[in-house]
Amino acid sequence: MTVATTDLDRLKSGADQLFSKKKLAGFSIPLVIIAYLVYIFFAFDVPGLYSRADMDNARTLVADSYSYKMHVTRDNRSAEVDISIEGRRNGTYPEDGSPDWVTRGEETVIDLGQGHIATFGPEIVTYTIPGYGTFRAEPGRSGVNATFPDGDLPGWINASKNRVAITTEAGRFTVTRNRTEVFRYFNGWEAFWFTLDSPYYGLSVGEVAGRAVQGEAGDIFTAFWTNSMWRHQDVAWALFETVLMAFLGTFGAGLIALPLAFLAAKNFAPLMAVRFAMRRMFDFLRGVDALIWTIILARAFGPGPLTGALAILVTDTGTFGKIFSEALENVDKAPIEGVQSTGASAIQRYRFGVIPQVVPVLISQLLYFLESNTRSATVIGAITGGGIGLLLTQAIITQQDWEKVTYFIVLIVLMVMAMDWISGILRRRLISGDGTGH
Amino acid sequence: MAETSASTRVDVIQTDYMALTRRKRLYSLVLLIVFVALMVAGFNTADSRNAGGFWNGITHVFDFPAEVLGEAWENIAELPRHLVAHLPALIETLNIAAASTLIGLIAGTVLALLSTRGLARWPRLIGLFRRLMDIARAIPEIVIALVLIFVLGGGPVPAMIAIAIHTTGALGKLFSEVNENVSLKPVEGLRSVGATWAQQMYLGVIPQVGPNYVSYALLRFEINIRASAILGFVGAGGIGYDLRNAMSWGQGKYDQAAAIFILLFLTIVAVDQISGYLRAHLTYGTQAREGVRP
């Protein structure tokens, strides 16, 4: 009886200990995580981030990604008026053309909507703001020569002798000695389909479809494909290059890694030294990392898709070598012996005994990597200069083409998702449909 | 009579089987030819669009490493000093990877629980959370990092956020696959005593899936170290940023670049080994084969 009681006591104290240990773990793990995140919070100077963050940049970025602005510019010396999309040369209206909110003439009248009217006369420019009055200026050599309505200047007017900037909800009006500029903002991506010089610019979807039916489909496609502002042709090529990098890199690595993996697998390479050398080589290729391979290879091959493909190929040869050799070590002996018992040669043993067992693993790994390498190829392209990664970095560096940046991001996400989808389909088809390997 | 019919049946089966085999062989051959053609055409296209050709470059592959190593060898006495000098940057890179993995682990856990049938808090929104994870997974880190660098300025935070978003998507998907196999009994037990959803998940589900989650997170940590080094190279701080600076000093100054190469290589190999060991112990080898999937 006493024995049972001590037993019970021991059990109880053991259980108590276990509970207190679990309790401790239950509290300490979240605490450690929180402590680490607090450390990161200060180590990365997150509190200082607010002062460093450039909210103006953020605003331009967001506004620019879904809207565009039309520039109406008057050269104050020659009184010539230019109308263009975002001030770009290849987005400029012809001399006699204009959007319907601008009336060209002796005096150019710009209707900014909501009652805001700007005019560019031969000498004088004006801007009429409802509820405030009319601003007038006679820019010339002596300055802007501005006249404001009576009263104090409101905060949204920024005026000096040589420059006046007026920002309203309808747009922006700037006068300097040499230029007068009016910006009007619109939603959307202008000239995405056709540029201004194309005959299809400004037509509705129905009209374009009608023309396509009448036999102009080829011309319409050419106009879209060679759009000089959005450069659809170059973008498509860049996407193709990125996928190409991933494809060549992944499958090239697979082709090189497969024979090497046999040399690294315990059951196929009896020589310890060979196995060891192969494994260390795989570790080295993987450990050097795609970044360093990219830098090294870019020196030898120059910028371009081939460099990116080779960087992926080298890194993944290490990875595949490791995976494949592990898969080979896990093969079942029975089928190999079965094939051998029919008097098969060594090559036939590999062909019918080993390959059918490992092929599903290899293909599924290759296809997994194809998708993830599409993403890597975007990043590597940004470093070596190839594919959509290059276009993206170029667009970001200009710091004003945010609508293009948005467009590229959407395309990249769609490309990666498409590769994921295709690799999933192929994985299911190839593995379930051809599992026997015959 | 019976014998002949049996033998004809065997004949029919044999001819059918042979036809099937031949067809399969033909398909395999066609697939192989298409694959080889794609590889060759792809290689030629990539080669023609590259600034330097493959056959010109292949003989010069080792020029640059030889130059870097040569310079490092000349200044071998300086090497320890360089290694120490770049250690803080290495720690920053490791911190970026660790913090983003941790954030991704937490966010991925929540999203995975919200998108698993049977566990979801709002079963109708499962599709929405799944799409969210798909999109987070599809965005390459560099995209978010570059945009955030423009707004927040350079430094580790843009890289951390960018990697964390991608990690959330990647881990969330793996976690929701793990969740499919969870036993619902503990959850029902907790629900019957009036536990909230968060309590049900924290006390009923997490203990079951914890080792698997941690194993996947360790794998992700390895990948994220590489990613954070690359993001440094485009301006997000850490060892990659140092590397770019060291590279831009050009010839004669490559001893610093060599020191960074060595640091990065040793770190990646060390973390791979440690995490491989931990993972093998966490899941008793069940996940070991998928060890290196990015």
Side-chain angles (χ1 to χ4, degrees), chain A residues 36-332:
Chain A
Y36 181 72
L37 288 179
V38 168
Y39 157 70
I40 287 297
F41 188 79
F42 290 106
F44 287 180
D45 192 22
V46 179
L49 201 64
Y50 185 72
S51 60
R52 273 182 288 134
D54 193 335
M55 280 305 135
D56 279 345
N57 279 356
R59 255 192 298 278
T60 352
L61 195 161
V62 173
D64 212 26
S65 61
Y66 68 87
S67 69
Y68 67 97
K69 56 186 192 299
M70 296 291 293
H71 294 211
V72 184
T73 311
R74 174 183 188 267
D75 185 326
N76 287 342
R77 278 164 299 187
S78 63
E80 270 174 24
V81 176
D82 265 345
I83 308 166
S84 64
I85 300 161
E86 302 267 0
R88 295 224 209 129
R89 192 164 292 280
N90 54 8
T92 309
Y93 273 85
E95 288 284 303
D96 50 346
S98 69
D100 52 9
W101 48 277
V102 180
T103 320
R104 285 195 197 241
E106 180 75 356
E107 187 186 61
T108 302
V109 180
I110 304 148
D111 183 358
L112 294 173
Q114 303 164 26
H116 292 250
I117 308 275
T119 62
F120 291 168
E123 304 294 335
I124 294 173
V125 296
T126 68
Y127 181 21
T128 309
I129 302 151
Y132 176 65
T134 301
F135 159 82
R136 300 159 66 81
E138 194 177 347
R141 216 162 266 214
S142 56
V144 175
N145 302 321
T147 359
F148 296 96
D150 295 334
D152 292 331
L153 278 188
W156 39 268
I157 296 184
N158 185 337
S160 69
K161 182 171 177 293
N162 289 326
R163 187 172 183 278
V164 175
I166 306 172
T167 313
T168 66
E169 68 269 29
R172 196 176 149 85
F173 187 97
T174 342
V175 196
T176 63
R177 281 195 298 182
N178 299 330
R179 270 146 78 86
T180 310
E181 238 176 347
V182 174
F183 296 164
R184 185 177 173 183
Y185 296 87
F186 292 91
N187 285 337
W189 292 345
E190 185 58 352
F192 180 77
W193 302 105
F194 306 110
T195 43
L196 293 177
D197 50 11
S198 151
Y200 307 108
Y201 176 80
L203 298 184
S204 70
V205 181
E207 285 171 305
V208 173
R211 299 253 202 132
V213 172
Q214 286 160 28
E216 290 182 38
D219 292 345
I220 291 172
F221 182 74
T222 313
F224 166 75
W225 198 234
T226 56
N227 181 332
S228 64
M229 288 183 79
W230 287 85
R231 293 162 52 209
H232 296 293
Q233 192 177 8
D234 297 344
V235 173
W237 253 110
L239 285 173
F240 172 73
E241 266 184 18
T242 304
V243 174
L244 182 67
M245 279 192 244
F247 174 79
L248 283 179
T250 313
F251 289 105
L255 287 178
I256 295 173
L258 186 59
L260 295 181
F262 277 97
L263 294 177
K266 220 181 278 172
N267 39 354
F268 293 97
L271 260 180
M272 224 307 256
V274 174
R275 229 154 59 211
F276 186 80
M278 276 300 142
R279 292 203 176 166
R280 290 299 82 78
M281 191 191 81
F282 293 152
D283 285 348
F284 177 77
L285 292 179
R286 258 162 15 95
V288 169
D289 189 33
L291 170 64
I292 299 175
W293 285 123
T294 308
I295 295 169
I296 291 174
L297 294 170
R299 294 276 163 150
F301 299 106
L306 185 71
T307 309
L310 289 174
I312 293 174
L313 185 146
V314 175
T315 322
D316 279 3
T317 301
T319 316
F320 288 148
K322 187 173 190 274
I323 299 176
F324 291 179
S325 65
E326 280 165 4
L328 286 171
E329 283 178 1
N330 288 334
V331 292
D332 189 358

